[in-house]
Amino acid sequence: GYDYGYCTWYVANRRAAAGKPIPSNLGHASTWKIRAQAAGYSVGAAPAAGAVAWKVPHDYYGHVGYVESVNADGSFVIIEMNVAGWNRVSSQTVSPAQLGQYSFIY
């Protein structure tokens, strides 16, 4: 499983609650994309509601969020943990210009 309070824990629980569970052995967020793909999950460049937003890692641990919605202008809203402080859930709207920083696990 994933440790309480981390982005991976939050996203794994959100996906499970939405009826789209993900494996409990994907490791740190930085390894989720490749391990999810190896486990048979589709990975792509287009945001979709309910997908995991996998941010291109800038450190060892990486970061993931949950895509809440996609807007008509191509922006998308992600709900995530630990951006606004430890064990805190927050949301942000990601602009189309920032899309290249993300991949998505469906």
Side-chain angles (χ1 to χ4, degrees):
Y2 302 102
D3 290 336
Y4 175 81
Y6 288 94
C7 63
T8 50
W9 175 86
Y10 179 76
V11 172
N13 281 287
R14 279 294 300 258
R15 288 275 299 205
K20 295 179 167 186
I22 56 168
S24 62
N25 63 346
L26 298 181
H28 295 296
S30 62
T31 60
W32 273 36
K33 179 181 174 183
I34 195 161
R35 289 184 178 178
Q37 200 167 21
Y41 286 77
S42 297
V43 173
V52 174
W54 180 84
K55 191 164 187 181
V56 174
H58 63 280
D59 64 17
Y60 175 77
Y61 298 104
H63 185 69
V64 290
Y66 181 84
V67 179
E68 186 71 20
S69 60
V70 179
N71 301 316
D73 67 356
S75 64
F76 58 98
V77 176
I78 59 174
I79 310 296
E80 55 200 344
M81 185 172 262
N82 292 341
V83 172
W86 166 250
N87 195 28
R88 291 186 61 191
V89 176
S90 60
S91 67
Q92 68 170 306
T93 300
V94 179
S95 74
Q98 297 170 298
L99 186 58
Q101 297 176 21
Y102 292 88
S103 289
F104 302 91
I105 303 166
Y106 308 108

